Amino acid sequence: MKVLKFGGTSVGSVNSILNVRKIVEAVDEPVIVVVSALGGITDKLLHTANLASTGDKAYRKEFNEMVARHKTVVEGVLSGARQAAVMRKVMETLDELENIYRGVFLIKDLSDKTSDAIVSYGERLSSVIVCGVIRSARLYDSRRFIKTHRQFSRHVVDFEQTNSLIRKTFRPAPKVALVPGFISSSIEDGEVTNLGRGGSDYTASIIAAALEASILEIWTDVDGFMTADPRIINSAYVIERLSFTEAMELCNFGAKVIYPPTIYPVFHRNIPIKVCNTFNPNAPGTYISGENARKEAKTDKMAIIKGISSINDTCLVTVQGLGMVGVIGVNYRIFRTLAEGGISVFMVSQASSENNTTFAVKNGDAALAVEMLNGEFAPERSRGEIEDIVAEKDLATVAIVGENMKRTPGIAGKLFGTLGRAGISVIACAQGASETNISFVIKLEYLRKALNSIHDSFFLSEYKMLNLFLTGVGTVGGHLLEQIKHQQKKLMTQNGVKLNVVGIANSRRMLMCREGLDLKACLRDLREKGDESSPELLRDEIVKMNIFNSVFIDCTSSEKIAGLYETLLNKNISIVAANKIAASSPYKNYRLLKETARKRGIKFLFETNVGAGLPIINTMNDLINSGDHILKLEAVLSGTLNFIFNTISEDIPLSRAIKMAVEARYAEPDPRIDLSGKDVIRKLVILAREAGYAVEQKDVRANLFVPQKYFKGTIDNFWEHIAELDAEFEEKRKKLAAKDKRLRFVASMNSGACEVGLIEVGSHHPFYELEGSNNIIMISTERYRDYPMIIKGYGAGADVTAAGVFADIISIANIR
């Protein structure tokens, strides 16, 4: 037998209820289905009751809206005689509810008993509707077998009676039993009670445990437990397996996937829980059991901690005073007093000196807690032995959870080191001897920052050494080696980072040394002692060396070298690429590389693909990561073409300017590579993708200024005929000069639409004064809409490109 529970969103609409029917009817064994009220109805029931209790006639409007919604759902999921029968039951139930509301309105009073009765109607209505939708389903009244007794101000399940009644009710069980969740009744007087917010989960768990079900499935609107709140951390992912302890810790500290008490009944019977998505039923979900996830895990997502959870409704109450030291029973009095007030404590921290005890409660309970404790310790306060009880609000509690933390040294050190580096002060902390949870309290304003910092630290890695493999040791690669050589000692002494070059390669030879190469002699040694190399041999040697914290640096323009990235990333080797081929390759491959890097907890960086050493891509990523949205890009991205159009004059025609670009090594020996605009297109595609748009090279509209016929034939044919364009360009230049305008080859992206081509810019345009081979980009975002962000500077050159590559390497060292 299975027990399936469907939450409010799962039964909140016509389509979702039809999904529920498909899921239930696909089960090939007896099943008990527990349902919540339609999404949002519980809140509306209470709101309507409060309006009625104050004599506000607006309660009628709220009630009519509930009637209309339930009628709409019935009409959408059923037809014919079945619809008429269910509609009759629904309307009868709503009539009962209306009479209660009318009574509350007339006497202007809402007792707890009446409130409990009103709020029960949500599940009573939804269960009638869902039962009518599912074939052969039989409806049960949970008030007849879920029994509670009063404990302080709460209703607590009487398990002895409840378990006995459940077994009696469901043996034998029908093919499909339909049960309203949340609702219960008092063993004292039989009045309607409830199990509290989220109580439908608890109902399902109680039934599953009593009947020893094979599994409890919680169907909701998420794919399962996440490593962190995905609304705060984009890189959060679904946790595939949790132990009962881990799930319980995450639930108690704010993970709202399931109601915390749900776990206890099935835990004692060792009945697994599976969290599933009603709207994505094929997703693997999260499986919760008594098994150790360390033994089961087969994915690279296995981590020391399983998840991060938080409670943003936190207040710290502190009882302190020198009169507490050595006095027996102080904590007993504290927590007895809180229990008498029905106040729940979810974290406790005490100084070993015994002079203070701090505990966390919800903000709404703080005033009562302070009042009751001030009363309890009034004699001690009057004598000065204990200070006035204080409450500190606007706080948040964060917990990192994972059974793999047990007996793993350094977790607390890493946690507090991460927070310290982020500039976040810990106000209070606690860790139990079970070592499955480290909890701490911080200011609420730092919650988002803390969660992101912790997630990055624990789900990626933090390194002190990077082992570097460099391929392409020519112009850019050679400059990079020189820069690393000059910075090695400084990085070690000032940053605690050691860059260890363990391999270099060119197109013919490679040189590897696990301990690190001598940077003063490595290029000579490569020529004289290097082993034969090819992309395949290089890949195999790197994988064979299997060195930790490795970074592969590509300073080539080789398509075959770019083809190695996926393999290397899957071996947990980060990649820094000056090579533009991978990032501008088909979008599917680009996303694959990015996703592989993310999942592996490593980096795929290519800042120098655009603008050499200019911080363009990193700046865009910072904007996006901080919540901004890039709307438009306009850029001059070709130093070669900018040089040509800055050089053309009355004395220097187009053909001569092209020749000068080649001679100055701004252009390739075959300048048609630059004139074709392919390089600019690649750069624009990379920028558009980094801005969040799925763009292919073929999507870019190219308006070239050199006709296609000049790209055919040999390079000699090109030089022989290119002067034919001189007169046309001189005429165009003169006209523009008369208007104080200049030509610029501009790459632009507007909401994903990409284009490259010549445009005319006036003297007030930011591109007008762009000199030499410089690059410039204007970034328009939601924040920088009226005044775009401008990045400008050297966009070419081996030295600045090498510096950009170096910056990417350092960024890996700094974030890990």
Side-chain angles (χ1 to χ4, degrees):
M1 171 188 288
K2 287 185 175 182
V3 176
L4 277 60
K5 181 267 176 179
F6 292 92
T9 53
S10 297
V11 296
S13 67
V14 170
N15 288 335
S16 61
I17 292 175
L18 295 177
N19 284 342
V20 170
R21 181 178 68 186
K22 290 179 184 177
I23 293 166
V24 173
E25 292 181 355
V27 179
D28 58 1
E29 60 182 293
V31 59
I32 296 177
V33 178
V34 179
V35 295
S36 297
L38 273 61
I41 288 296
T42 300
D43 286 334
K44 203 168 185 68
L45 286 165
L46 290 171
H47 176 62
T48 305
N50 288 329
L51 290 174
S53 68
T54 60
D56 190 337
K57 294 180 180 179
Y59 89 88
R60 295 170 183 164
K61 177 178 177 293
E62 297 293 318
F63 174 75
N64 289 334
E65 288 176 359
M66 285 190 285
V67 172
R69 182 173 176 194
H70 284 86
K71 288 176 68 176
T72 299
V73 170
V74 173
E75 291 167 353
V77 297
L78 293 165
S79 60
R82 192 78 166 168
Q83 181 191 103
V86 170
M87 186 70 80
R88 185 173 58 254
K89 291 181 182 178
V90 166
M91 295 310 297
E92 289 173 356
T93 306
L94 287 167
D95 286 343
E96 292 178 14
L97 178 60
E98 184 179 21
N99 288 332
I100 297 174
Y101 278 137
R102 187 179 296 114
V104 171
F105 175 76
L106 291 173
I107 65 173
K108 295 181 177 58
D109 180 68
L110 181 65
S111 67
D112 289 342
K113 183 182 294 187
T114 303
S115 180
D116 286 344
I118 288 173
V119 81
S120 73
Y121 278 85
E123 278 73 14
R124 290 169 63 185
L125 288 162
S126 65
S127 59
V128 169
I129 296 171
V130 177
C131 185
V133 172
I134 299 172
R135 287 194 298 267
S136 304
R138 179 179 171 186
L139 182 62
Y140 289 79
D141 185 348
S142 53
R143 293 172 294 180
R144 296 183 179 276
F145 48 82
I146 304 293
K147 297 295 182 178
T148 64
H149 61 264
R150 202 158 190 84
Q151 186 178 86
F152 301 114
S153 60
R154 291 178 170 83
H155 303 295
V156 178
V157 175
D158 185 299
F159 279 99
E160 184 176 353
Q161 277 205 38
T162 295
N163 289 338
S164 174
L165 289 169
I166 289 172
R167 295 185 188 110
K168 182 178 179 180
T169 301
F170 292 101
R171 288 191 175 161
K175 176 71 169 78
V176 179
L178 206 296
V179 176
F182 176 68
I183 310 169
S184 51
S185 63
S186 169
I187 59 173
E188 289 96 356
D189 55 17
E191 294 291 343
V192 177
T193 60
N194 62 69
L195 304 182
R197 283 301 181 98
S200 292
D201 289 355
Y202 197 20
T203 301
S205 179
I206 293 167
I207 294 171
L211 298 178
E212 298 185 357
S214 60
I215 192 169
L216 167 61
E217 294 181 359
I218 304 291
W219 290 84
T220 180
D221 58 356
V222 296
D223 286 343
F225 278 85
M226 305 288 286
T227 53
D229 188 340
R231 295 169 299 181
I232 298 175
I233 301 174
N234 291 333
S235 57
Y237 55 81
V238 174
I239 306 169
E240 295 181 0
R241 300 185 74 91
L242 287 170
S243 69
F244 285 122
T245 301
E246 290 168 335
M248 193 156 34
E249 295 283 8
L250 287 172
C251 288
N252 284 329
F253 278 88
K256 298 178 181 179
V257 181
I258 58 178
Y259 182 48
T262 302
I263 297 169
Y264 298 111
V266 291
F267 164 73
H268 290 297
R269 296 285 185 176
N270 200 26
I271 297 169
I273 303 172
K274 187 176 181 183
V275 180
C276 308
N277 191 339
T278 306
F279 307 95
N280 186 19
N282 294 323
T286 298
Y287 187 83
I288 304 167
S289 69
E291 298 174 3
N292 189 336
R294 182 189 292 273
K295 298 177 182 178
E296 299 290 328
K298 298 179 180 178
T299 72
D300 62 325
K301 291 180 180 177
M302 188 65 181
I304 296 297
I305 68 171
K306 284 293 186 66
I308 309 168
S309 196
S310 62
I311 302 173
N312 56 16
D313 180 14
T314 297
C315 175
L316 281 183
V317 178
T318 300
V319 180
Q320 63 181 350
L322 295 178
M324 295 172 60
V325 178
V327 177
I328 298 173
V330 173
N331 283 341
Y332 164 74
R333 291 171 62 190
I334 291 172
F335 295 111
R336 184 203 65 208
T337 301
L338 295 171
E340 289 172 353
I343 298 170
S344 176
V345 173
F346 52 83
M347 197 191 90
V348 179
S349 179
Q350 181 177 25
S352 59
S353 62
E354 299 183 359
N355 73 342
N356 71 74
T357 297
T358 297
F359 55 88
V361 297
K362 292 182 178 180
N363 285 298
D365 291 333
L368 178 60
V370 170
E371 179 185 349
M372 294 188 70
L373 289 172
N374 275 330
E376 172 67 24
F377 292 100
E380 290 86 351
R381 288 170 51 234
S382 66
R383 296 192 297 269
E385 296 172 358
I386 291 180
E387 300 174 15
D388 288 346
I389 314 301
V390 295
E392 185 177 358
K393 296 186 177 182
D394 297 322
L395 304 175
T397 306
V398 180
I400 63 170
V401 173
E403 290 208 82
N404 294 334
M405 293 194 297
K406 291 179 180 178
R407 294 172 291 281
T408 301
I411 301 301
K414 183 174 182 178
L415 169 65
F416 296 120
T418 298
L419 294 170
R421 286 191 295 274
I424 299 170
S425 177
V426 174
I427 300 170
C429 63
Q431 179 180 18
S434 65
E435 298 185 77
T436 59
N437 176 321
I438 301 177
S439 308
F440 59 92
V441 177
I442 58 175
K443 289 185 176 180
L444 180 60
E445 63 186 286
Y446 294 132
L447 177 59
R448 179 177 291 271
K449 186 177 183 181
L451 293 178
N452 277 280
S453 298
I454 296 167
H455 197 272
D456 283 348
S457 178
F458 279 93
F459 286 91
L460 302 177
S461 299
E462 188 172 7
Y463 301 118
K464 292 296 182 182
M465 177 185 287
L466 292 183
N467 292 298
L468 311 180
F469 295 93
L470 170 62
T471 181
V473 292
T475 310
V476 174
H479 279 81
L480 176 61
L481 285 173
E482 280 297 312
Q483 292 174 9
I484 292 173
K485 182 174 68 175
H486 287 300
Q487 287 294 106
Q488 269 185 325
K489 288 185 179 179
K490 184 177 181 180
L491 289 170
M492 289 177 65
T493 56
Q494 294 188 7
N495 301 82
V497 175
K498 181 179 180 180
L499 300 182
N500 193 34
V501 180
V502 295
I504 59 174
N506 57 29
S507 60
R508 299 177 303 279
R509 309 187 76 82
M510 62 180 169
L511 183 68
M512 304 287 179
C513 177
R514 180 177 292 274
E515 288 72 33
L517 298 171
D518 179 2
L519 297 187
K520 295 179 181 178
C522 64
L523 292 178
R524 182 193 64 207
D525 291 343
L526 176 65
R527 292 191 301 269
E528 298 176 0
K529 304 175 184 179
D531 297 319
E532 179 185 357
S533 182
S534 69
E536 294 77 17
L537 290 172
L538 178 64
R539 174 200 62 205
D540 293 343
E541 185 62 22
I542 292 172
V543 171
K544 178 182 175 182
M545 290 178 72
N546 193 29
I547 298 179
F548 73 107
N549 301 348
S550 296
V551 181
F552 180 76
I553 306 159
D554 182 7
C555 290
T556 75
S557 57
S558 167
E559 185 173 353
K560 289 186 176 180
I561 294 295
L564 304 180
Y565 294 3
E566 183 182 353
T567 298
L568 296 177
L569 289 170
N570 277 310
K571 294 297 181 180
N572 281 61
I573 299 171
S574 289
I575 291 174
V576 173
N579 186 345
K580 290 184 281 291
I581 290 176
S584 62
S585 64
Y587 184 78
K588 182 178 180 181
N589 184 61
Y590 160 83
R591 287 305 312 166
L592 173 64
L593 296 177
K594 298 268 286 188
E595 284 298 309
T596 301
R598 183 188 66 79
K599 291 177 180 178
R600 291 282 176 179
I602 53 179
K603 291 296 175 181
F604 170 40
L605 303 177
F606 41 88
E607 176 64 70
T608 57
N609 280 195
V610 182
L614 295 178
I616 296 174
I617 293 175
N618 281 336
T619 300
M620 290 171 55
N621 286 335
D622 287 343
L623 290 170
I624 294 169
N625 292 338
S626 66
D628 207 351
H629 179 61
I630 294 175
L631 306 173
K632 185 178 181 181
L633 301 172
E634 294 176 275
V636 175
L637 300 175
S638 172
T640 302
L641 297 181
N642 197 53
F643 174 88
I644 290 171
F645 289 113
N646 277 332
T647 303
I648 292 175
S649 67
E650 185 175 357
D651 300 320
I652 304 175
L654 173 66
S655 59
R656 177 59 187 148
I658 295 172
K659 193 72 173 177
M660 291 172 67
V662 174
E663 292 169 351
R665 295 188 178 181
Y666 288 125
E668 296 291 335
D670 184 348
R672 292 177 295 180
I673 296 173
D674 300 287
L675 297 173
S676 69
K678 289 181 180 178
D679 190 60
V680 176
I681 290 172
R682 283 178 175 174
K683 293 176 180 178
L684 180 58
V685 165
I686 293 169
L687 291 180
R689 290 173 175 179
E690 289 298 290
Y693 301 93
V695 175
E696 301 283 5
Q697 289 190 43
K698 63 181 176 60
D699 298 330
V700 180
R701 182 179 176 185
N703 302 309
L704 304 182
F705 60 91
V706 176
Q708 192 62 38
K709 67 178 183 179
Y710 292 94
F711 296 97
K712 298 178 180 178
T714 65
I715 183 64
D716 291 331
N717 290 334
F718 171 82
W719 288 121
E720 182 179 346
H721 296 285
I722 190 61
E724 296 169 358
L725 299 178
D726 289 349
E728 175 186 341
F729 269 81
E730 176 57 15
E731 182 67 21
K732 185 178 294 187
R733 187 199 65 77
K734 285 181 179 179
K735 290 181 179 179
L736 291 175
K739 300 176 183 178
D740 198 21
K741 290 185 176 182
R742 294 175 179 174
L743 286 174
R744 292 288 180 257
F745 193 81
V746 174
S748 63
M749 186 282 295
N750 194 338
S751 299
C754 297
E755 183 175 3
V756 300
L758 276 183
I759 68 168
E760 302 171 4
V761 297
S763 60
H764 297 293
H765 196 285
F767 296 176
Y768 183 86
E769 295 290 351
L770 191 64
E771 298 177 353
S773 61
N774 287 358
N775 283 188
I776 187 170
I777 183 168
M778 294 196 303
I779 305 172
S780 299
T781 73
E782 289 179 348
R783 295 176 187 155
Y784 294 86
R785 190 187 298 264
D786 296 326
Y787 299 96
M789 179 182 290
I790 296 177
I791 302 173
K792 177 181 178 182
Y794 290 123
D799 197 50
V800 293
T801 302
V805 173
F806 200 176
D808 273 348
I809 296 169
I810 295 302
S811 73
I812 294 175
N814 286 343
I815 62 174
R816 289 186 168 183

